[in-house]
Amino acid sequence: MEKLMNDLQNFKIEYHVMNGVPVKNLLQETTCRQFLQKQMKNWHAPHIVVAASMFAKRYAYMAVSSTLFSLVQHQTVCCLTVDKLLYGENHMLQIPLDEINLLQIKDENREKQYETLFSRLFAEQITPLFEVMQKVSKIKSSVLWENIAVRINSIYQKLLAQDLTDKQKKQVYQDFIYLKNANGAIFGLRENPIRDYLKIDQELEKRPCRVTCCLFHRLEKKNEDLTYCKVCPLPKK
């Protein structure tokens, strides 16, 4: 457990400081609008649409990338339920230490456990959050969901570049196929919103660019030494 908890800190997750906005409160339109307006200032975003996309990218890294990493490296995940999480002033995801719930994945029950795990992550957390963000910012849902897919593509690419065991490599591909072929139910939607954006290995190398634009280039001041995101579909000036 200690190794897992330490690894999760690399995904901007912390356990002791509880000074953030409860994520469940962001499911309320007024709170979500006020939150995104604040993030506009924090990220030097010229419009609430840009702030919404940047937050979605950040949240995808903390909640989704961390989960997929944990499945491969630890076969155990920290169940991130929307009613237990806070988004901190330091842009980290906060989990009360006494509320941490670990789920050990077992091969004989993997399919059922995955259905429960990803339904909690997507249908009960990310989909409702994205729906409210769409309403208050008018951002396209395709941008938000491709933000999720890009994080998935990236974490699997990074994992495959590591010194994995044969079993772990197999797990990466199995998990990728699971998410690619998943029906809309685990997302709380009629169709899988990330299927068309998921890529791995040669497909990712040949077609690394996004379909939609995440609007990173519109930030007026960036912490990274980039003008465009690394997989930007826009023609570079």
Side-chain angles (χ1 to χ4, degrees), residues 106-141:
K106 299 181 180 179
D107 289 341
E108 63 270 18
N109 202 28
R110 184 175 295 270
E111 186 173 347
K112 185 64 177 177
Q113 287 182 307
Y114 270 30
E115 181 181 345
T116 299
L117 172 66
F118 287 113
S119 292
R120 287 177 180 170
L121 180 61
F122 292 119
E124 297 178 16
Q125 182 177 165
I126 291 178
T127 296
L129 182 60
F130 280 6
E131 288 175 346
V132 176
M133 289 170 61
Q134 283 177 256
K135 288 181 181 178
V136 302
S137 71
K138 308 304 180 186
I139 191 171
K140 294 180 179 179
S141 63

PDB file of all heavy atoms in Angstrom, residues 106-141:
ATOM      1  N   LYS A 106      -8.335  -8.958  -9.011  1.00  0.00           N
ATOM      2  CA  LYS A 106      -7.997 -10.376  -9.113  1.00  0.00           C
ATOM      3  C   LYS A 106      -8.404 -10.901 -10.478  1.00  0.00           C
ATOM      4  O   LYS A 106      -9.476 -10.586 -10.982  1.00  0.00           O
ATOM      5  CB  LYS A 106      -8.701 -11.150  -8.002  1.00  0.00           C
ATOM      6  CG  LYS A 106      -8.300 -10.694  -6.598  1.00  0.00           C
ATOM      7  CD  LYS A 106      -8.999 -11.489  -5.511  1.00  0.00           C
ATOM      8  CE  LYS A 106      -8.573 -11.014  -4.124  1.00  0.00           C
ATOM      9  NZ  LYS A 106      -9.254 -11.767  -3.042  1.00  0.00           N
ATOM     10  N   ASP A 107      -7.528 -11.711 -11.078  1.00  0.00           N
ATOM     11  CA  ASP A 107      -7.751 -12.185 -12.444  1.00  0.00           C
ATOM     12  C   ASP A 107      -9.087 -12.882 -12.619  1.00  0.00           C
ATOM     13  O   ASP A 107      -9.773 -12.688 -13.626  1.00  0.00           O
ATOM     14  CB  ASP A 107      -6.618 -13.135 -12.863  1.00  0.00           C
ATOM     15  CG  ASP A 107      -5.306 -12.395 -13.086  1.00  0.00           C
ATOM     16  OD1 ASP A 107      -5.344 -11.167 -13.271  1.00  0.00           O
ATOM     17  OD2 ASP A 107      -4.243 -13.060 -13.064  1.00  0.00           O
ATOM     18  N   GLU A 108      -9.479 -13.667 -11.630  1.00  0.00           N
ATOM     19  CA  GLU A 108     -10.706 -14.451 -11.794  1.00  0.00           C
ATOM     20  C   GLU A 108     -11.960 -13.586 -11.729  1.00  0.00           C
ATOM     21  O   GLU A 108     -13.050 -14.037 -12.125  1.00  0.00           O
ATOM     22  CB  GLU A 108     -10.773 -15.548 -10.721  1.00  0.00           C
ATOM     23  CG  GLU A 108     -10.854 -15.044  -9.280  1.00  0.00           C
ATOM     24  CD  GLU A 108      -9.494 -14.850  -8.640  1.00  0.00           C
ATOM     25  OE1 GLU A 108      -8.493 -14.766  -9.390  1.00  0.00           O
ATOM     26  OE2 GLU A 108      -9.434 -14.797  -7.400  1.00  0.00           O
ATOM     27  N   ASN A 109     -11.825 -12.364 -11.262  1.00  0.00           N
ATOM     28  CA  ASN A 109     -12.996 -11.497 -11.133  1.00  0.00           C
ATOM     29  C   ASN A 109     -12.765 -10.137 -11.791  1.00  0.00           C
ATOM     30  O   ASN A 109     -13.465  -9.175 -11.512  1.00  0.00           O
ATOM     31  CB  ASN A 109     -13.313 -11.288  -9.639  1.00  0.00           C
ATOM     32  CG  ASN A 109     -14.755 -10.878  -9.407  1.00  0.00           C
ATOM     33  OD1 ASN A 109     -15.642 -11.225 -10.187  1.00  0.00           O
ATOM     34  ND2 ASN A 109     -14.993 -10.109  -8.366  1.00  0.00           N
ATOM     35  N   ARG A 110     -11.788 -10.104 -12.702  1.00  0.00           N
ATOM     36  CA  ARG A 110     -11.345  -8.831 -13.280  1.00  0.00           C
ATOM     37  C   ARG A 110     -12.461  -8.128 -14.054  1.00  0.00           C
ATOM     38  O   ARG A 110     -12.660  -6.914 -13.899  1.00  0.00           O
ATOM     39  CB  ARG A 110     -10.141  -9.054 -14.204  1.00  0.00           C
ATOM     40  CG  ARG A 110      -9.562  -7.762 -14.784  1.00  0.00           C
ATOM     41  CD  ARG A 110      -8.316  -8.075 -15.581  1.00  0.00           C
ATOM     42  NE  ARG A 110      -7.252  -8.600 -14.739  1.00  0.00           N
ATOM     43  CZ  ARG A 110      -6.347  -7.819 -14.134  1.00  0.00           C
ATOM     44  NH1 ARG A 110      -6.395  -6.510 -14.266  1.00  0.00           N
ATOM     45  NH2 ARG A 110      -5.404  -8.368 -13.390  1.00  0.00           N
ATOM     46  N   GLU A 111     -13.193  -8.838 -14.878  1.00  0.00           N
ATOM     47  CA  GLU A 111     -14.212  -8.188 -15.708  1.00  0.00           C
ATOM     48  C   GLU A 111     -15.268  -7.475 -14.864  1.00  0.00           C
ATOM     49  O   GLU A 111     -15.635  -6.330 -15.133  1.00  0.00           O
ATOM     50  CB  GLU A 111     -14.885  -9.211 -16.626  1.00  0.00           C
ATOM     51  CG  GLU A 111     -15.859  -8.579 -17.609  1.00  0.00           C
ATOM     52  CD  GLU A 111     -16.394  -9.578 -18.613  1.00  0.00           C
ATOM     53  OE1 GLU A 111     -15.839 -10.686 -18.721  1.00  0.00           O
ATOM     54  OE2 GLU A 111     -17.382  -9.243 -19.304  1.00  0.00           O
ATOM     55  N   LYS A 112     -15.738  -8.148 -13.825  1.00  0.00           N
ATOM     56  CA  LYS A 112     -16.751  -7.554 -12.957  1.00  0.00           C
ATOM     57  C   LYS A 112     -16.166  -6.389 -12.174  1.00  0.00           C
ATOM     58  O   LYS A 112     -16.822  -5.339 -12.007  1.00  0.00           O
ATOM     59  CB  LYS A 112     -17.289  -8.614 -11.991  1.00  0.00           C
ATOM     60  CG  LYS A 112     -18.442  -8.125 -11.126  1.00  0.00           C
ATOM     61  CD  LYS A 112     -19.659  -7.769 -11.964  1.00  0.00           C
ATOM     62  CE  LYS A 112     -20.833  -7.349 -11.089  1.00  0.00           C
ATOM     63  NZ  LYS A 112     -22.004  -6.929 -11.895  1.00  0.00           N
ATOM     64  N   GLN A 113     -14.937  -6.539 -11.694  1.00  0.00           N
ATOM     65  CA  GLN A 113     -14.297  -5.459 -10.939  1.00  0.00           C
ATOM     66  C   GLN A 113     -14.051  -4.237 -11.821  1.00  0.00           C
ATOM     67  O   GLN A 113     -14.219  -3.102 -11.384  1.00  0.00           O
ATOM     68  CB  GLN A 113     -12.980  -5.952 -10.331  1.00  0.00           C
ATOM     69  CG  GLN A 113     -13.167  -6.898  -9.148  1.00  0.00           C
ATOM     70  CD  GLN A 113     -11.840  -7.318  -8.539  1.00  0.00           C
ATOM     71  OE1 GLN A 113     -10.946  -7.793  -9.231  1.00  0.00           O
ATOM     72  NE2 GLN A 113     -11.717  -7.138  -7.241  1.00  0.00           N
ATOM     73  N   TYR A 114     -13.660  -4.479 -13.071  1.00  0.00           N
ATOM     74  CA  TYR A 114     -13.446  -3.359 -14.005  1.00  0.00           C
ATOM     75  C   TYR A 114     -14.751  -2.614 -14.263  1.00  0.00           C
ATOM     76  O   TYR A 114     -14.769  -1.378 -14.338  1.00  0.00           O
ATOM     77  CB  TYR A 114     -12.877  -3.882 -15.319  1.00  0.00           C
ATOM     78  CG  TYR A 114     -11.366  -3.926 -15.357  1.00  0.00           C
ATOM     79  CD1 TYR A 114     -10.627  -4.125 -14.194  1.00  0.00           C
ATOM     80  CD2 TYR A 114     -10.670  -3.777 -16.539  1.00  0.00           C
ATOM     81  CE1 TYR A 114      -9.245  -4.174 -14.225  1.00  0.00           C
ATOM     82  CE2 TYR A 114      -9.285  -3.816 -16.590  1.00  0.00           C
ATOM     83  CZ  TYR A 114      -8.574  -4.014 -15.429  1.00  0.00           C
ATOM     84  OH  TYR A 114      -7.204  -4.062 -15.455  1.00  0.00           O
ATOM     85  N   GLU A 115     -15.819  -3.350 -14.430  1.00  0.00           N
ATOM     86  CA  GLU A 115     -17.112  -2.709 -14.674  1.00  0.00           C
ATOM     87  C   GLU A 115     -17.478  -1.785 -13.507  1.00  0.00           C
ATOM     88  O   GLU A 115     -17.907  -0.646 -13.713  1.00  0.00           O
ATOM     89  CB  GLU A 115     -18.197  -3.767 -14.858  1.00  0.00           C
ATOM     90  CG  GLU A 115     -19.573  -3.187 -15.144  1.00  0.00           C
ATOM     91  CD  GLU A 115     -20.636  -4.257 -15.308  1.00  0.00           C
ATOM     92  OE1 GLU A 115     -20.265  -5.438 -15.479  1.00  0.00           O
ATOM     93  OE2 GLU A 115     -21.832  -3.918 -15.261  1.00  0.00           O
ATOM     94  N   THR A 116     -17.269  -2.259 -12.291  1.00  0.00           N
ATOM     95  CA  THR A 116     -17.561  -1.451 -11.103  1.00  0.00           C
ATOM     96  C   THR A 116     -16.613  -0.263 -11.010  1.00  0.00           C
ATOM     97  O   THR A 116     -17.040   0.880 -10.785  1.00  0.00           O
ATOM     98  CB  THR A 116     -17.436  -2.307  -9.830  1.00  0.00           C
ATOM     99  OG1 THR A 116     -18.376  -3.384  -9.892  1.00  0.00           O
ATOM    100  CG2 THR A 116     -17.714  -1.464  -8.590  1.00  0.00           C
ATOM    101  N   LEU A 117     -15.318  -0.520 -11.194  1.00  0.00           N
ATOM    102  CA  LEU A 117     -14.302   0.518 -11.067  1.00  0.00           C
ATOM    103  C   LEU A 117     -14.515   1.647 -12.062  1.00  0.00           C
ATOM    104  O   LEU A 117     -14.547   2.833 -11.690  1.00  0.00           O
ATOM    105  CB  LEU A 117     -12.918  -0.095 -11.274  1.00  0.00           C
ATOM    106  CG  LEU A 117     -11.740   0.873 -11.372  1.00  0.00           C
ATOM    107  CD1 LEU A 117     -11.529   1.586 -10.044  1.00  0.00           C
ATOM    108  CD2 LEU A 117     -10.478   0.132 -11.809  1.00  0.00           C
ATOM    109  N   PHE A 118     -14.667   1.302 -13.334  1.00  0.00           N
ATOM    110  CA  PHE A 118     -14.763   2.337 -14.359  1.00  0.00           C
ATOM    111  C   PHE A 118     -16.131   3.015 -14.390  1.00  0.00           C
ATOM    112  O   PHE A 118     -16.236   4.171 -14.802  1.00  0.00           O
ATOM    113  CB  PHE A 118     -14.393   1.759 -15.725  1.00  0.00           C
ATOM    114  CG  PHE A 118     -12.917   1.507 -15.870  1.00  0.00           C
ATOM    115  CD1 PHE A 118     -12.422   0.216 -15.971  1.00  0.00           C
ATOM    116  CD2 PHE A 118     -12.017   2.567 -15.867  1.00  0.00           C
ATOM    117  CE1 PHE A 118     -11.065  -0.010 -16.085  1.00  0.00           C
ATOM    118  CE2 PHE A 118     -10.648   2.346 -15.976  1.00  0.00           C
ATOM    119  CZ  PHE A 118     -10.174   1.054 -16.084  1.00  0.00           C
ATOM    120  N   SER A 119     -17.149   2.327 -13.938  1.00  0.00           N
ATOM    121  CA  SER A 119     -18.453   2.983 -13.811  1.00  0.00           C
ATOM    122  C   SER A 119     -18.393   4.079 -12.746  1.00  0.00           C
ATOM    123  O   SER A 119     -18.949   5.163 -12.919  1.00  0.00           O
ATOM    124  CB  SER A 119     -19.540   1.964 -13.456  1.00  0.00           C
ATOM    125  OG  SER A 119     -19.779   1.078 -14.532  1.00  0.00           O
ATOM    126  N   ARG A 120     -17.696   3.776 -11.648  1.00  0.00           N
ATOM    127  CA  ARG A 120     -17.542   4.784 -10.595  1.00  0.00           C
ATOM    128  C   ARG A 120     -16.706   5.959 -11.088  1.00  0.00           C
ATOM    129  O   ARG A 120     -16.981   7.121 -10.784  1.00  0.00           O
ATOM    130  CB  ARG A 120     -16.893   4.164  -9.355  1.00  0.00           C
ATOM    131  CG  ARG A 120     -17.809   3.243  -8.567  1.00  0.00           C
ATOM    132  CD  ARG A 120     -17.059   2.609  -7.405  1.00  0.00           C
ATOM    133  NE  ARG A 120     -17.917   1.715  -6.638  1.00  0.00           N
ATOM    134  CZ  ARG A 120     -17.468   0.902  -5.694  1.00  0.00           C
ATOM    135  NH1 ARG A 120     -16.169   0.866  -5.405  1.00  0.00           N
ATOM    136  NH2 ARG A 120     -18.308   0.107  -5.031  1.00  0.00           N
ATOM    137  N   LEU A 121     -15.675   5.650 -11.854  1.00  0.00           N
ATOM    138  CA  LEU A 121     -14.779   6.695 -12.335  1.00  0.00           C
ATOM    139  C   LEU A 121     -15.432   7.565 -13.406  1.00  0.00           C
ATOM    140  O   LEU A 121     -15.357   8.800 -13.348  1.00  0.00           O
ATOM    141  CB  LEU A 121     -13.502   6.064 -12.889  1.00  0.00           C
ATOM    142  CG  LEU A 121     -12.448   7.026 -13.451  1.00  0.00           C
ATOM    143  CD1 LEU A 121     -11.952   7.983 -12.374  1.00  0.00           C
ATOM    144  CD2 LEU A 121     -11.291   6.240 -14.054  1.00  0.00           C
ATOM    145  N   PHE A 122     -16.075   6.920 -14.366  1.00  0.00           N
ATOM    146  CA  PHE A 122     -16.639   7.671 -15.485  1.00  0.00           C
ATOM    147  C   PHE A 122     -18.117   8.035 -15.280  1.00  0.00           C
ATOM    148  O   PHE A 122     -18.466   9.217 -15.220  1.00  0.00           O
ATOM    149  CB  PHE A 122     -16.468   6.878 -16.788  1.00  0.00           C
ATOM    150  CG  PHE A 122     -15.048   6.756 -17.242  1.00  0.00           C
ATOM    151  CD1 PHE A 122     -14.448   5.511 -17.378  1.00  0.00           C
ATOM    152  CD2 PHE A 122     -14.298   7.879 -17.533  1.00  0.00           C
ATOM    153  CE1 PHE A 122     -13.127   5.394 -17.797  1.00  0.00           C
ATOM    154  CE2 PHE A 122     -12.974   7.784 -17.954  1.00  0.00           C
ATOM    155  CZ  PHE A 122     -12.390   6.533 -18.085  1.00  0.00           C
ATOM    156  N   ALA A 123     -18.978   7.031 -15.176  1.00  0.00           N
ATOM    157  CA  ALA A 123     -20.423   7.299 -15.121  1.00  0.00           C
ATOM    158  C   ALA A 123     -20.824   8.113 -13.893  1.00  0.00           C
ATOM    159  O   ALA A 123     -21.712   8.967 -13.970  1.00  0.00           O
ATOM    160  CB  ALA A 123     -21.197   5.980 -15.154  1.00  0.00           C
ATOM    161  N   GLU A 124     -20.167   7.862 -12.763  1.00  0.00           N
ATOM    162  CA  GLU A 124     -20.568   8.528 -11.526  1.00  0.00           C
ATOM    163  C   GLU A 124     -19.754   9.784 -11.218  1.00  0.00           C
ATOM    164  O   GLU A 124     -20.124  10.543 -10.327  1.00  0.00           O
ATOM    165  CB  GLU A 124     -20.449   7.541 -10.350  1.00  0.00           C
ATOM    166  CG  GLU A 124     -21.369   6.333 -10.472  1.00  0.00           C
ATOM    167  CD  GLU A 124     -21.191   5.348  -9.325  1.00  0.00           C
ATOM    168  OE1 GLU A 124     -20.585   5.743  -8.297  1.00  0.00           O
ATOM    169  OE2 GLU A 124     -21.645   4.198  -9.459  1.00  0.00           O
ATOM    170  N   GLN A 125     -18.666   9.995 -11.948  1.00  0.00           N
ATOM    171  CA  GLN A 125     -17.797  11.120 -11.617  1.00  0.00           C
ATOM    172  C   GLN A 125     -17.498  12.018 -12.809  1.00  0.00           C
ATOM    173  O   GLN A 125     -17.896  13.191 -12.838  1.00  0.00           O
ATOM    174  CB  GLN A 125     -16.487  10.579 -11.024  1.00  0.00           C
ATOM    175  CG  GLN A 125     -15.518  11.655 -10.601  1.00  0.00           C
ATOM    176  CD  GLN A 125     -14.265  11.074  -9.959  1.00  0.00           C
ATOM    177  OE1 GLN A 125     -13.264  11.767  -9.802  1.00  0.00           O
ATOM    178  NE2 GLN A 125     -14.301   9.794  -9.591  1.00  0.00           N
ATOM    179  N   ILE A 126     -16.813  11.493 -13.814  1.00  0.00           N
ATOM    180  CA  ILE A 126     -16.344  12.353 -14.893  1.00  0.00           C
ATOM    181  C   ILE A 126     -17.469  12.782 -15.829  1.00  0.00           C
ATOM    182  O   ILE A 126     -17.544  13.967 -16.208  1.00  0.00           O
ATOM    183  CB  ILE A 126     -15.200  11.658 -15.658  1.00  0.00           C
ATOM    184  CG1 ILE A 126     -13.969  11.593 -14.746  1.00  0.00           C
ATOM    185  CG2 ILE A 126     -14.882  12.390 -16.950  1.00  0.00           C
ATOM    186  CD1 ILE A 126     -12.777  10.902 -15.326  1.00  0.00           C
ATOM    187  N   THR A 127     -18.357  11.880 -16.189  1.00  0.00           N
ATOM    188  CA  THR A 127     -19.460  12.266 -17.080  1.00  0.00           C
ATOM    189  C   THR A 127     -20.342  13.349 -16.463  1.00  0.00           C
ATOM    190  O   THR A 127     -20.617  14.363 -17.124  1.00  0.00           O
ATOM    191  CB  THR A 127     -20.296  11.040 -17.479  1.00  0.00           C
ATOM    192  OG1 THR A 127     -19.472  10.139 -18.250  1.00  0.00           O
ATOM    193  CG2 THR A 127     -21.498  11.440 -18.335  1.00  0.00           C
ATOM    194  N   PRO A 128     -20.805  13.206 -15.215  1.00  0.00           N
ATOM    195  CA  PRO A 128     -21.600  14.290 -14.624  1.00  0.00           C
ATOM    196  C   PRO A 128     -20.829  15.612 -14.539  1.00  0.00           C
ATOM    197  O   PRO A 128     -21.403  16.682 -14.763  1.00  0.00           O
ATOM    198  CB  PRO A 128     -21.936  13.764 -13.221  1.00  0.00           C
ATOM    199  CG  PRO A 128     -21.829  12.283 -13.330  1.00  0.00           C
ATOM    200  CD  PRO A 128     -20.725  12.036 -14.310  1.00  0.00           C
ATOM    201  N   LEU A 129     -19.537  15.533 -14.233  1.00  0.00           N
ATOM    202  CA  LEU A 129     -18.716  16.732 -14.153  1.00  0.00           C
ATOM    203  C   LEU A 129     -18.601  17.408 -15.518  1.00  0.00           C
ATOM    204  O   LEU A 129     -18.764  18.634 -15.642  1.00  0.00           O
ATOM    205  CB  LEU A 129     -17.326  16.374 -13.621  1.00  0.00           C
ATOM    206  CG  LEU A 129     -16.331  17.524 -13.434  1.00  0.00           C
ATOM    207  CD1 LEU A 129     -16.880  18.557 -12.453  1.00  0.00           C
ATOM    208  CD2 LEU A 129     -14.988  16.973 -12.952  1.00  0.00           C
ATOM    209  N   PHE A 130     -18.363  16.607 -16.546  1.00  0.00           N
ATOM    210  CA  PHE A 130     -18.248  17.163 -17.896  1.00  0.00           C
ATOM    211  C   PHE A 130     -19.569  17.769 -18.370  1.00  0.00           C
ATOM    212  O   PHE A 130     -19.579  18.784 -19.068  1.00  0.00           O
ATOM    213  CB  PHE A 130     -17.791  16.079 -18.870  1.00  0.00           C
ATOM    214  CG  PHE A 130     -16.308  15.811 -18.841  1.00  0.00           C
ATOM    215  CD1 PHE A 130     -15.486  16.431 -17.906  1.00  0.00           C
ATOM    216  CD2 PHE A 130     -15.728  14.932 -19.749  1.00  0.00           C
ATOM    217  CE1 PHE A 130     -14.117  16.198 -17.885  1.00  0.00           C
ATOM    218  CE2 PHE A 130     -14.363  14.705 -19.744  1.00  0.00           C
ATOM    219  CZ  PHE A 130     -13.558  15.327 -18.807  1.00  0.00           C
ATOM    220  N   GLU A 131     -20.673  17.143 -18.013  1.00  0.00           N
ATOM    221  CA  GLU A 131     -21.967  17.668 -18.441  1.00  0.00           C
ATOM    222  C   GLU A 131     -22.233  19.045 -17.857  1.00  0.00           C
ATOM    223  O   GLU A 131     -22.757  19.934 -18.540  1.00  0.00           O
ATOM    224  CB  GLU A 131     -23.079  16.680 -18.064  1.00  0.00           C
ATOM    225  CG  GLU A 131     -23.074  15.423 -18.929  1.00  0.00           C
ATOM    226  CD  GLU A 131     -24.095  14.388 -18.491  1.00  0.00           C
ATOM    227  OE1 GLU A 131     -24.629  14.518 -17.353  1.00  0.00           O
ATOM    228  OE2 GLU A 131     -24.337  13.437 -19.255  1.00  0.00           O
ATOM    229  N   VAL A 132     -21.854  19.232 -16.592  1.00  0.00           N
ATOM    230  CA  VAL A 132     -22.025  20.556 -15.977  1.00  0.00           C
ATOM    231  C   VAL A 132     -21.053  21.556 -16.595  1.00  0.00           C
ATOM    232  O   VAL A 132     -21.425  22.708 -16.880  1.00  0.00           O
ATOM    233  CB  VAL A 132     -21.817  20.481 -14.447  1.00  0.00           C
ATOM    234  CG1 VAL A 132     -21.900  21.871 -13.828  1.00  0.00           C
ATOM    235  CG2 VAL A 132     -22.858  19.571 -13.821  1.00  0.00           C
ATOM    236  N   MET A 133     -19.828  21.138 -16.852  1.00  0.00           N
ATOM    237  CA  MET A 133     -18.841  22.021 -17.468  1.00  0.00           C
ATOM    238  C   MET A 133     -19.289  22.465 -18.860  1.00  0.00           C
ATOM    239  O   MET A 133     -19.081  23.621 -19.250  1.00  0.00           O
ATOM    240  CB  MET A 133     -17.484  21.322 -17.533  1.00  0.00           C
ATOM    241  CG  MET A 133     -16.826  21.165 -16.172  1.00  0.00           C
ATOM    242  SD  MET A 133     -15.369  20.092 -16.195  1.00  0.00           S
ATOM    243  CE  MET A 133     -14.288  20.973 -17.310  1.00  0.00           C
ATOM    244  N   GLN A 134     -19.915  21.566 -19.599  1.00  0.00           N
ATOM    245  CA  GLN A 134     -20.447  21.930 -20.907  1.00  0.00           C
ATOM    246  C   GLN A 134     -21.514  23.018 -20.788  1.00  0.00           C
ATOM    247  O   GLN A 134     -21.536  23.973 -21.563  1.00  0.00           O
ATOM    248  CB  GLN A 134     -21.070  20.703 -21.581  1.00  0.00           C
ATOM    249  CG  GLN A 134     -20.070  19.731 -22.178  1.00  0.00           C
ATOM    250  CD  GLN A 134     -20.800  18.528 -22.750  1.00  0.00           C
ATOM    251  OE1 GLN A 134     -20.794  17.452 -22.156  1.00  0.00           O
ATOM    252  NE2 GLN A 134     -21.448  18.732 -23.876  1.00  0.00           N
ATOM    253  N   LYS A 135     -22.389  22.857 -19.818  1.00  0.00           N
ATOM    254  CA  LYS A 135     -23.489  23.805 -19.652  1.00  0.00           C
ATOM    255  C   LYS A 135     -22.980  25.203 -19.312  1.00  0.00           C
ATOM    256  O   LYS A 135     -23.478  26.195 -19.844  1.00  0.00           O
ATOM    257  CB  LYS A 135     -24.441  23.320 -18.556  1.00  0.00           C
ATOM    258  CG  LYS A 135     -25.289  22.125 -18.940  1.00  0.00           C
ATOM    259  CD  LYS A 135     -26.226  21.722 -17.803  1.00  0.00           C
ATOM    260  CE  LYS A 135     -27.059  20.514 -18.170  1.00  0.00           C
ATOM    261  NZ  LYS A 135     -27.945  20.103 -17.042  1.00  0.00           N
ATOM    262  N   VAL A 136     -21.998  25.271 -18.415  1.00  0.00           N
ATOM    263  CA  VAL A 136     -21.576  26.593 -17.939  1.00  0.00           C
ATOM    264  C   VAL A 136     -20.529  27.250 -18.836  1.00  0.00           C
ATOM    265  O   VAL A 136     -20.395  28.481 -18.830  1.00  0.00           O
ATOM    266  CB  VAL A 136     -21.054  26.521 -16.492  1.00  0.00           C
ATOM    267  CG1 VAL A 136     -22.115  25.952 -15.567  1.00  0.00           C
ATOM    268  CG2 VAL A 136     -19.766  25.732 -16.379  1.00  0.00           C
ATOM    269  N   SER A 137     -19.790  26.452 -19.598  1.00  0.00           N
ATOM    270  CA  SER A 137     -18.736  27.026 -20.441  1.00  0.00           C
ATOM    271  C   SER A 137     -19.026  26.952 -21.935  1.00  0.00           C
ATOM    272  O   SER A 137     -18.378  27.642 -22.724  1.00  0.00           O
ATOM    273  CB  SER A 137     -17.408  26.319 -20.178  1.00  0.00           C
ATOM    274  OG  SER A 137     -17.413  24.997 -20.705  1.00  0.00           O
ATOM    275  N   LYS A 138     -19.974  26.080 -22.309  1.00  0.00           N
ATOM    276  CA  LYS A 138     -20.324  25.854 -23.719  1.00  0.00           C
ATOM    277  C   LYS A 138     -19.197  25.151 -24.493  1.00  0.00           C
ATOM    278  O   LYS A 138     -19.161  25.196 -25.723  1.00  0.00           O
ATOM    279  CB  LYS A 138     -20.696  27.162 -24.437  1.00  0.00           C
ATOM    280  CG  LYS A 138     -21.751  27.992 -23.723  1.00  0.00           C
ATOM    281  CD  LYS A 138     -23.029  27.218 -23.475  1.00  0.00           C
ATOM    282  CE  LYS A 138     -24.071  28.069 -22.753  1.00  0.00           C
ATOM    283  NZ  LYS A 138     -25.271  27.292 -22.371  1.00  0.00           N
ATOM    284  N   ILE A 139     -18.303  24.498 -23.787  1.00  0.00           N
ATOM    285  CA  ILE A 139     -17.251  23.745 -24.454  1.00  0.00           C
ATOM    286  C   ILE A 139     -17.840  22.502 -25.107  1.00  0.00           C
ATOM    287  O   ILE A 139     -18.823  21.932 -24.624  1.00  0.00           O
ATOM    288  CB  ILE A 139     -16.143  23.355 -23.450  1.00  0.00           C
ATOM    289  CG1 ILE A 139     -14.917  22.809 -24.180  1.00  0.00           C
ATOM    290  CG2 ILE A 139     -16.657  22.348 -22.413  1.00  0.00           C
ATOM    291  CD1 ILE A 139     -13.708  22.601 -23.268  1.00  0.00           C
ATOM    292  N   LYS A 140     -17.270  22.059 -26.202  1.00  0.00           N
ATOM    293  CA  LYS A 140     -17.745  20.863 -26.884  1.00  0.00           C
ATOM    294  C   LYS A 140     -17.359  19.617 -26.090  1.00  0.00           C
ATOM    295  O   LYS A 140     -16.237  19.509 -25.598  1.00  0.00           O
ATOM    296  CB  LYS A 140     -17.155  20.780 -28.296  1.00  0.00           C
ATOM    297  CG  LYS A 140     -17.622  21.880 -29.235  1.00  0.00           C
ATOM    298  CD  LYS A 140     -16.989  21.704 -30.609  1.00  0.00           C
ATOM    299  CE  LYS A 140     -17.465  22.788 -31.563  1.00  0.00           C
ATOM    300  NZ  LYS A 140     -16.827  22.650 -32.908  1.00  0.00           N
ATOM    301  N   SER A 141     -18.274  18.685 -25.994  1.00  0.00           N
ATOM    302  CA  SER A 141     -17.988  17.460 -25.245  1.00  0.00           C
ATOM    303  C   SER A 141     -16.847  16.675 -25.881  1.00  0.00           C
ATOM    304  O   SER A 141     -16.082  16.000 -25.192  1.00  0.00           O
ATOM    305  CB  SER A 141     -19.241  16.579 -25.155  1.00  0.00           C
ATOM    306  OG  SER A 141     -19.646  16.160 -26.443  1.00  0.00           O
TER     307      SER A 141
END
